[in-house]
Amino acid sequence: MAQSVGIKDVARAAGVSVGTVSNVINRPDTVASETRARVLSAIDRLGYVRSESARQLRAGRSRIMGLLVLDMGNPFFVDVARGAERAARDAGLGVMVCNSAQDAGEEAEYLSLFAEQRVRGVLLTPADATGRNIDAFRRHRIPFVLVDRVADGAAECSVSVDDVAGGALAVRHLVDAGHRSIAYVSGPPGLTQVRDRRTGALQALAEAGLGPEHLRELPTDRLDVAAGRDAGARLLGLADRPTAVFCANVLLALGVLQAMYAAGVNVPDDIALVGYDDIEFAAAAAVPLTSVRQPAVTMGALAADLLLEETSTGAVAERHRHRRVVLQPELVVRRSSLPGR
């Protein structure tokens, strides 16, 4: 496993002593401006981050694993965290859980915190669609595993669900029930999961001989209940209102359900509704929601196991190979998409 950049590396790169680097970090006014600039340049070039626990721990051997998720208000990510925490606890580690709130700036700050604390490794569901935050974090050479996202290259592991298959399951179910005009309440278009679920929906339509015009997309800024209510209001205002709705997650579906209920529109008799994630609230809704189920707890546990393997020592670490684990979703059918039952 690669070692993180240390103060000795900075000193060597800048051609100064370790004491001088320490002074630049802690007492910069005691160092000549030219020397200080040279040291700061080396720090930036090498990606050095001061470790608060460096005196006690070798870099990368912390007993803490970082977990950064998109939204801790979403029970799906709570279940992911449960799985990761269980696997980490079995290995004698703790988990530092952080919430990016779907904000790239928040994500960057937490990744910097993980680097400063020299965590053992990080489980990450990215919020930054550009990938810049991940590229910056790689400089610290702290292992990480992508969760609910497929790794683009071979530089890290990932654990995800086949969201294309999940989107196809949802819309195939609606098409089989006779629907030919379907709305997709999609969430932020920058999220890979949102795009993949749309791709699956279009595939299911194509299988039935239906073109993309049969899917009416209603994007939202967030993946929460309030965004679902807003999308539901927009849906109600359409002159050619679709007969079914597929939502990118259950929270959006709950919001749409609330909007329909407030307007006196019956689900499922007037409009069918399918969500995604199948969190506990799906079955407990006023109209139990049909939903695509993801094995969230399993996803978190598998991601933690991969990270533990990568950050182990000896033969276990030597056997580690970066892998992309893709789990399969399943459709759980309930009242919201079954009129007349």
Side-chain angles (χ1 to χ4, degrees):
M1 183 183 67
Q3 296 296 307
S4 299
V5 175
I7 195 170
K8 291 182 180 178
D9 300 308
V10 175
R12 188 180 305 112
V16 299
S17 69
V18 170
T20 298
V21 177
S22 179
N23 284 337
V24 168
I25 295 171
N26 298 297
R27 296 176 295 279
D29 57 322
T30 66
V31 183
S33 59
E34 180 180 343
T35 302
R36 186 167 66 244
R38 193 161 72 248
V39 171
L40 291 174
S41 175
I43 287 173
D44 182 68
R45 187 170 66 254
L46 296 175
Y48 170 77
V49 175
R50 180 180 180 180
S51 173
E52 297 298 331
S53 57
R55 296 177 186 174
Q56 291 80 28
L57 299 170
R58 292 178 58 196
R61 301 308 305 165
S62 167
R63 299 179 68 83
I64 297 296
M65 179 187 298
L67 171 62
L68 182 55
V69 301
L70 286 178
D71 181 11
M72 281 306 293
N74 185 338
F76 167 76
F77 288 109
V78 174
D79 286 343
V80 170
R82 283 174 50 217
E85 191 275 336
R86 186 180 304 162
R89 185 178 66 244
D90 289 345
L93 273 65
V95 178
M96 180 191 299
V97 181
C98 297
N99 176 28
S100 71
Q102 303 175 43
D103 183 271
E106 293 280 340
E107 176 181 81
E109 291 183 12
Y110 279 124
L111 288 174
S112 293
L113 174 65
F114 289 152
E116 180 179 331
Q117 295 299 318
R118 294 288 193 266
V119 296
R120 175 76 161 260
V122 175
L123 307 179
L124 169 65
T125 302
D128 177 20
T130 70
R132 284 192 291 264
N133 286 344
I134 289 179
D135 289 340
F137 187 67
R138 282 194 182 99
R139 296 192 312 166
H140 305 302
R141 290 178 281 185
I142 295 174
F144 64 92
V145 175
L146 297 180
V147 183
D148 197 29
R149 188 73 53 85
V150 178
D152 292 331
E156 52 266 337
C157 293
S158 65
V159 181
S160 62
V161 168
D162 189 341
D163 282 315
V164 174
L169 281 174
V171 172
R172 191 178 297 121
H173 169 69
L174 292 171
V175 169
D176 288 346
H179 298 284
R180 296 295 180 268
S181 178
I182 300 169
Y184 176 41
V185 178
S186 61
L191 292 179
T192 302
Q193 299 94 321
V194 165
R195 297 196 302 269
D196 285 351
R197 291 165 196 177
R198 179 180 184 273
T199 297
L202 292 173
Q203 285 184 4
L205 289 174
E207 290 170 5
L210 302 172
E213 69 275 8
H214 291 266
L215 189 72
R216 180 74 172 268
E217 187 166 2
L218 297 174
T220 63
D221 292 334
R222 301 185 66 79
L223 290 162
D224 56 24
V225 175
R229 283 196 298 268
D230 174 71
R234 283 184 281 152
L235 182 68
L236 289 167
L238 297 177
D240 54 342
R241 191 170 74 206
T243 62
V245 184
F246 167 43
C247 296
N249 77 356
V250 163
L251 296 182
L252 289 173
L254 287 170
V256 171
L257 180 62
Q258 289 178 4
M260 297 300 108
Y261 181 82
V265 175
N266 182 274
V267 174
D269 294 326
D270 296 329
I271 192 164
L273 183 59
V274 175
Y276 205 105
D277 290 342
D278 201 45
I279 59 177
E280 184 178 352
F281 296 153
V287 179
L289 290 169
T290 294
S291 181
V292 177
R293 176 178 293 168
Q294 300 193 86
V297 174
T298 299
M299 193 183 304
L302 286 174
D305 285 340
L306 287 172
L307 189 59
L308 289 166
E309 180 184 284
E310 184 176 356
T311 58
S312 295
T313 57
V316 174
E318 291 174 4
R319 288 196 302 269
H320 178 79
R321 297 293 182 272
H322 292 312
R323 302 192 293 278
R324 298 177 184 177
V325 179
V326 181
L327 305 173
Q328 291 303 308
E330 62 176 311
L331 183 70
V332 180
V333 178
R334 300 191 181 94
R335 178 82 177 94
S336 69
S337 62
L338 297 175
R341 293 191 183 184

